[in-house]
Amino acid sequence: QKEVEQDPGPLSVPEGAIVSLNCTYSNSAFQYFMWYRQYSRKGPELLMYTYSSGNKEDGRFTAQVDKSSKYISLFIRDSQPSDSATYLCAMRGDSGGGADGLTFGKGTHLIIQP
Amino acid sequence: GAVVSQHPSWVICKSGTSVKIECRSLDFQATTMFWYRQFPKQSLMLMATSNEGSKATYEQGVEKDKFLINHASLTLSTLTVTSAHPEDSSFYICSALLGRISYNEQFFGPGTRLTVL
């Protein structure tokens, strides 16, 4: 079993829809949970991070972490064509003073149809 | 925001040759940089952690003699793929760690596509 599972998609939704992206993981040592957005031929860009369980909201984006289920989600409200990209979940522990490498999911290719 | 560059963006080389990839933090200093590799349809996989002025820490299964990492300054880390073979063809991406009060964030470069013939 891979450490982080993420459906690669593609996920295609109409403009304005609510998008739900998810990852599951197996390593209970993970404490920080991140969502990155990656456009073609670009490096990943951090969207949001969450420490431990809970919800975090930033504009149209909401991140949720349920450590008991080892399940994280990213919700995008009022989706726009410009949101079309690959969304990567990533996570790390907290043992290296913040200098731990990240464990990534495969990324979900999201397409927002105008 | 913080910017990380990589050079070259793509490289094609013959089997048996060595290739050097540079990772630079352009507007901040990074004590720690990371090197990742991504094969088609696979996730980004951490290869090694590079610390300025000390030896890199390699992940299990990554050959340190094949993937030489040098982090000689606070803005530059290099990855050299020695005696490259076709199975080393991949997308190599680096990140640089920017420390903040609340969270240490990794900023990623745009990646380097390596093709070994």
Side-chain angles (χ1 to χ4, degrees):
Chain A
Q1 180 188 10
K2 294 188 185 302
E3 279 201 289
V4 179
E5 299 276 3
Q6 184 178 12
D7 186 342
L11 175 63
S12 183
V13 301
E15 182 177 356
I18 296 175
V19 175
S20 173
L21 303 169
N22 312 290
C23 289
T24 59
Y25 64 96
S26 58
N27 189 341
S28 58
F30 290 142
Q31 294 285 353
Y32 285 90
F33 304 90
M34 282 70 70
W35 286 96
Y36 285 84
R37 179 173 59 196
Q38 185 174 25
Y39 295 110
S40 182
R41 301 182 186 279
K42 300 281 189 181
E45 174 190 18
L46 181 66
L47 280 175
M48 299 181 71
Y49 79 91
T50 307
Y51 177 72
S52 194
S53 285
N55 295 354
K56 191 172 187 178
E57 186 174 322
D58 184 2
R60 297 185 295 113
F61 298 88
T62 299
Q64 290 185 349
V65 175
D66 181 349
K67 288 191 68 181
S68 63
S69 302
K70 295 188 176 64
Y71 186 87
I72 71 171
S73 301
L74 177 71
F75 298 96
I76 306 175
R77 293 184 298 280
D78 187 25
S79 56
Q80 305 294 313
S82 58
D83 295 328
S84 298
T86 296
Y87 289 79
L88 302 145
C89 65
M91 43 202 81
R92 67 170 175 84
D94 196 17
S95 60
D100 299 78
L102 300 177
T103 300
F104 282 89
K106 287 185 178 181
T108 299
H109 182 43
L110 174 64
I111 301 168
I112 308 298
Q113 303 165 338
Chain B
V3 179
V4 176
S5 69
Q6 272 184 251
H7 178 80
S9 55
W10 59 270
V11 57
I12 301 173
C13 69
K14 292 182 179 180
S15 185
T17 61
S18 295
V19 174
K20 180 186 284 189
I21 302 170
E22 293 185 348
C23 177
R24 293 182 184 273
S25 55
L26 298 185
D27 49 4
F28 67 102
Q29 294 183 329
T31 304
T32 302
M33 292 185 175
F34 301 90
W35 287 95
Y36 296 83
R37 177 170 55 180
Q38 184 176 33
F39 292 109
K41 300 188 185 298
Q42 300 298 315
S43 55
L44 280 164
M45 296 292 292
L46 179 67
M47 297 176 67
T49 301
S50 168
N51 291 298
E52 188 266 339
S54 64
K55 291 184 178 181
T57 303
Y58 291 82
E59 295 300 300
Q60 191 173 8
V62 178
E63 300 174 57
K64 62 180 182 180
D65 294 330
K66 181 170 185 60
F67 298 99
L68 302 179
I69 292 173
N70 185 286
H71 193 160
S73 80
L74 289 173
T75 59
L76 173 64
S77 176
T78 61
L79 169 68
T80 301
V81 183
T82 62
S83 187
H85 288 92
E87 57 265 30
D88 299 322
S89 298
S90 187
F91 184 65
Y92 293 86
I93 191 165
C94 70
S95 70
L97 191 67
L98 176 60
R100 302 181 191 277
I101 294 175
S102 59
Y103 175 71
N104 294 335
E105 183 174 345
Q106 290 186 34
F107 289 87
F108 286 83
T112 297
R113 177 77 57 189
L114 170 64
T115 302
V116 184
L117 302 177

